Amino acid sequence: MKQTEKWYVGYFFTINSIIGAGILAIPWAYCTAGWALGITCQIVILILSYSASYLMLSLWSRTHAIVDLIESGVSVSKVQFKDIFSADSSKNYIDSENEIDDIKPLIENRHFDLYEMIKLTISPFMSKFLVIAYIFAQTPALAGYFSVFAISLSSNVPILGFTCNLYDYDSFFNECRVLYWAYMTIFAAFLIFLAFFDITEQRWMQGTLTLFRFLVIAIFAVTTIYAIASDSELEDDGNNNANPEIFNGKHIGRIFFILCFASLYENIIPTTMSFVENKSTNLPKVLNFAILTFNGIYILVGVLLCFALEDPEEMATLNWRDYSAGSSQSSRSWWTYIIAYIVVLLPALDILSSFPIVCWNYSDNIMSIFHGHDSDRKNDKSIRFMFRLSMILSSFMIAFFFYELGLILEISGAFVLLLSGFFIPIGALAAQKIIKSKSEYDFKNNRLVALTTIVFSVVMFEGAFKNNRLVALTTIVFSVFMFVGCFIFLGFSES
């Protein structure tokens, strides 16, 4: 893969891989769990995302060095799971009769999926668990994209002679579901066509749809600020009766898992950044800008909509379906129809950019089970297409029967948390035991930022500790604790 793209191209792809279906459920999650709890969880996720992002780069760079050694005929042993957390660094995993010069871990021009990284560094059983986590994380996510696309369009575009909101129906078989299925089929056909093209061949579409995302978010902000300031509703001429919760611990499982789904993207980094030039300078730049962008946007949208909407929909854009700027429906201004169409329809277009990134990454990891980094078949376009097609069709079948975005994202977010907060840190720790030379993406002693939360006591921004071990261990403990704990709270909140 050629490394010729500027940093902002990687930024567009990264933003599109993050801000997708997840942002549509964030206002609902913030409003039910409380805006203060939402901000608290968002800050915790920001820290987790930051540490996991750089641990991913650390793992990626050492994977390059490991593969270079293997291809030069050197025997490299894998780290046993029980040894990953040991502080002992004396064991040598590189077996060579010849003297090996100091190895410099660098991210070069080869693409490795997370599955390959884990398989090359840790004893085999861990890669099997990774596959299970991928299936439960990404298949519901892709189904959620189908749901967003179909519901957004069925709410506004009457291809069968009517429009409807599927969330208004209780029964399974109804006329709205037929319209929903019709749009799902159209979306599936487009995705199957898109499956013939690699990510870099979509750069113009990705860049354009990034701008659309920011346009919709700006409309969210402006219209809700106006509604709050004028004490008006979005869709009627009544007063703003929003009474947002401040802190409702009962729903911590809901909001935390949805924020995990919407925010944790680290397993996709190799897909969105393999083609970026001058990686030493540009990868940290892309990560820093992306993390600040989406966390700022989520807090802004989550809090503002809590104070502007009395009863937010699980898919936030549906609150703008009949936007009237505080007027009655009979006296709506012409420009309010334009805003309504932009808000409800553009997220459907944005899904066109999010789905390929997530799906291609998912299919590449599954494909790596059968065809590793050293297999020519992995670069065969027909094989890539077949794996992508299987991902598209499996998520299509799930969305065919299940459309409730909140529930879909809660399930997916739980396993996304494991990908970013468990598998990436243990991979980084294992790789560091094999390649002991310092990577340029390791945490350095240049700045310490300590934040205290209920269970996540000390963490860092860039350069918190002398090495990755404490960062990785803290991330793992916190992620496993939240994975188990939030499932318990999720059961309470949904019962």
Side-chain angles (χ1 to χ4, degrees), residues 453-468:
T453 64
I454 297 175
V455 292
F456 205 10
S457 57
V458 180
V459 291
M460 54 44 255
F461 271 34
E462 183 178 1
F465 302 106
K466 294 181 179 179
N467 55 56
N468 286 350

mmCIF file of all heavy atoms in Angstrom, residues 453-468:
data_model
loop_
_atom_site.group_PDB
_atom_site.id
_atom_site.type_symbol
_atom_site.label_atom_id
_atom_site.label_comp_id
_atom_site.label_asym_id
_atom_site.label_seq_id
_atom_site.Cartn_x
_atom_site.Cartn_y
_atom_site.Cartn_z
ATOM 1 N N THR A 453 -10.713 9.225 38.827
ATOM 2 C CA THR A 453 -12.121 8.864 38.707
ATOM 3 C C THR A 453 -12.409 7.787 39.750
ATOM 4 O O THR A 453 -11.534 7.440 40.547
ATOM 5 C CB THR A 453 -12.458 8.331 37.308
ATOM 6 O OG1 THR A 453 -11.734 7.122 37.112
ATOM 7 C CG2 THR A 453 -12.092 9.335 36.235
ATOM 8 N N ILE A 454 -13.612 7.246 39.755
ATOM 9 C CA ILE A 454 -14.001 6.272 40.776
ATOM 10 C C ILE A 454 -13.072 5.061 40.778
ATOM 11 O O ILE A 454 -12.600 4.630 41.821
ATOM 12 C CB ILE A 454 -15.454 5.824 40.548
ATOM 13 C CG1 ILE A 454 -16.382 7.025 40.718
ATOM 14 C CG2 ILE A 454 -15.861 4.724 41.514
ATOM 15 C CD1 ILE A 454 -17.830 6.737 40.394
ATOM 16 N N VAL A 455 -12.812 4.486 39.613
ATOM 17 C CA VAL A 455 -11.963 3.303 39.562
ATOM 18 C C VAL A 455 -10.703 3.510 38.735
ATOM 19 O O VAL A 455 -9.804 2.686 38.775
ATOM 20 C CB VAL A 455 -12.751 2.110 38.967
ATOM 21 C CG1 VAL A 455 -13.840 1.658 39.900
ATOM 22 C CG2 VAL A 455 -13.326 2.443 37.602
ATOM 23 N N PHE A 456 -10.677 4.593 37.997
ATOM 24 C CA PHE A 456 -9.554 4.845 37.104
ATOM 25 C C PHE A 456 -8.724 5.957 37.734
ATOM 26 O O PHE A 456 -8.865 7.106 37.376
ATOM 27 C CB PHE A 456 -10.092 5.270 35.747
ATOM 28 C CG PHE A 456 -9.157 5.004 34.607
ATOM 29 C CD1 PHE A 456 -8.015 4.255 34.759
ATOM 30 C CD2 PHE A 456 -9.460 5.518 33.349
ATOM 31 C CE1 PHE A 456 -7.186 4.008 33.683
ATOM 32 C CE2 PHE A 456 -8.640 5.275 32.275
ATOM 33 C CZ PHE A 456 -7.498 4.521 32.437
ATOM 34 N N SER A 457 -7.852 5.643 38.710
ATOM 35 C CA SER A 457 -7.262 6.650 39.583
ATOM 36 C C SER A 457 -6.192 7.507 38.912
ATOM 37 O O SER A 457 -6.198 8.720 39.072
ATOM 38 C CB SER A 457 -6.681 5.974 40.825
ATOM 39 O OG SER A 457 -5.734 5.005 40.453
ATOM 40 N N VAL A 458 -5.256 6.894 38.229
ATOM 41 C CA VAL A 458 -4.173 7.680 37.638
ATOM 42 C C VAL A 458 -3.958 7.235 36.196
ATOM 43 O O VAL A 458 -3.737 6.077 35.940
ATOM 44 C CB VAL A 458 -2.842 7.499 38.402
ATOM 45 C CG1 VAL A 458 -1.733 8.325 37.765
ATOM 46 C CG2 VAL A 458 -3.019 7.903 39.846
ATOM 47 N N VAL A 459 -4.043 8.187 35.291
ATOM 48 C CA VAL A 459 -3.796 7.903 33.879
ATOM 49 C C VAL A 459 -2.994 9.050 33.296
ATOM 50 O O VAL A 459 -2.704 10.034 33.971
ATOM 51 C CB VAL A 459 -5.120 7.712 33.098
ATOM 52 C CG1 VAL A 459 -5.823 6.443 33.497
ATOM 53 C CG2 VAL A 459 -5.997 8.907 33.300
ATOM 54 N N MET A 460 -2.659 8.959 32.048
ATOM 55 C CA MET A 460 -1.820 9.981 31.475
ATOM 56 C C MET A 460 -2.278 10.425 30.102
ATOM 57 O O MET A 460 -3.047 9.782 29.454
ATOM 58 C CB MET A 460 -0.379 9.521 31.375
ATOM 59 C CG MET A 460 -0.077 8.254 30.674
ATOM 60 S SD MET A 460 -0.841 7.873 29.177
ATOM 61 C CE MET A 460 -2.025 6.729 29.379
ATOM 62 N N PHE A 461 -1.786 11.587 29.741
ATOM 63 C CA PHE A 461 -1.829 11.990 28.351
ATOM 64 C C PHE A 461 -0.471 11.620 27.772
ATOM 65 O O PHE A 461 0.205 10.741 28.284
ATOM 66 C CB PHE A 461 -2.094 13.488 28.245
ATOM 67 C CG PHE A 461 -3.548 13.804 28.198
ATOM 68 C CD1 PHE A 461 -4.470 13.046 28.895
ATOM 69 C CD2 PHE A 461 -4.006 14.866 27.443
ATOM 70 C CE1 PHE A 461 -5.802 13.320 28.858
ATOM 71 C CE2 PHE A 461 -5.355 15.163 27.395
ATOM 72 C CZ PHE A 461 -6.251 14.392 28.106
ATOM 73 N N GLU A 462 -0.047 12.286 26.727
ATOM 74 C CA GLU A 462 1.196 11.899 26.046
ATOM 75 C C GLU A 462 2.361 11.960 27.023
ATOM 76 O O GLU A 462 2.688 12.995 27.567
ATOM 77 C CB GLU A 462 1.470 12.839 24.864
ATOM 78 C CG GLU A 462 2.700 12.461 24.077
ATOM 79 C CD GLU A 462 2.892 13.387 22.902
ATOM 80 O OE1 GLU A 462 2.086 14.296 22.741
ATOM 81 O OE2 GLU A 462 3.859 13.182 22.166
ATOM 82 N N GLY A 463 2.988 10.810 27.247
ATOM 83 C CA GLY A 463 4.170 10.760 28.069
ATOM 84 C C GLY A 463 3.934 10.726 29.554
ATOM 85 O O GLY A 463 4.627 11.402 30.304
ATOM 86 N N ALA A 464 2.974 9.952 30.015
ATOM 87 C CA ALA A 464 2.702 9.944 31.452
ATOM 88 C C ALA A 464 3.744 9.157 32.220
ATOM 89 O O ALA A 464 4.118 9.536 33.315
ATOM 90 C CB ALA A 464 1.330 9.357 31.718
ATOM 91 N N PHE A 465 4.225 8.036 31.674
ATOM 92 C CA PHE A 465 5.096 7.156 32.447
ATOM 93 C C PHE A 465 6.370 6.819 31.663
ATOM 94 O O PHE A 465 6.479 7.087 30.473
ATOM 95 C CB PHE A 465 4.357 5.870 32.813
ATOM 96 C CG PHE A 465 3.101 6.131 33.605
ATOM 97 C CD1 PHE A 465 1.854 6.003 33.000
ATOM 98 C CD2 PHE A 465 3.164 6.527 34.921
ATOM 99 C CE1 PHE A 465 0.699 6.253 33.715
ATOM 100 C CE2 PHE A 465 2.013 6.777 35.638
ATOM 101 C CZ PHE A 465 0.782 6.640 35.037
ATOM 102 N N LYS A 466 7.304 6.185 32.339
ATOM 103 C CA LYS A 466 8.571 5.854 31.705
ATOM 104 C C LYS A 466 8.415 4.759 30.661
ATOM 105 O O LYS A 466 9.222 4.634 29.760
ATOM 106 C CB LYS A 466 9.581 5.403 32.760
ATOM 107 C CG LYS A 466 9.989 6.516 33.728
ATOM 108 C CD LYS A 466 11.009 6.004 34.717
ATOM 109 C CE LYS A 466 11.423 7.120 35.672
ATOM 110 N NZ LYS A 466 12.407 6.667 36.663
ATOM 111 N N ASN A 467 7.398 3.920 30.813
ATOM 112 C CA ASN A 467 7.173 2.856 29.843
ATOM 113 C C ASN A 467 5.683 2.579 29.747
ATOM 114 O O ASN A 467 4.876 3.204 30.428
ATOM 115 C CB ASN A 467 7.947 1.585 30.230
ATOM 116 C CG ASN A 467 7.617 1.140 31.642
ATOM 117 O OD1 ASN A 467 6.453 0.917 31.964
ATOM 118 N ND2 ASN A 467 8.637 1.014 32.474
ATOM 119 N N ASN A 468 5.331 1.621 28.920
ATOM 120 C CA ASN A 468 3.915 1.339 28.662
ATOM 121 C C ASN A 468 3.268 0.436 29.710
ATOM 122 O O ASN A 468 2.058 0.269 29.711
ATOM 123 C CB ASN A 468 3.769 0.630 27.305
ATOM 124 C CG ASN A 468 3.976 1.576 26.158
ATOM 125 O OD1 ASN A 468 4.054 2.776 26.350
ATOM 126 N ND2 ASN A 468 4.083 1.031 24.967
#
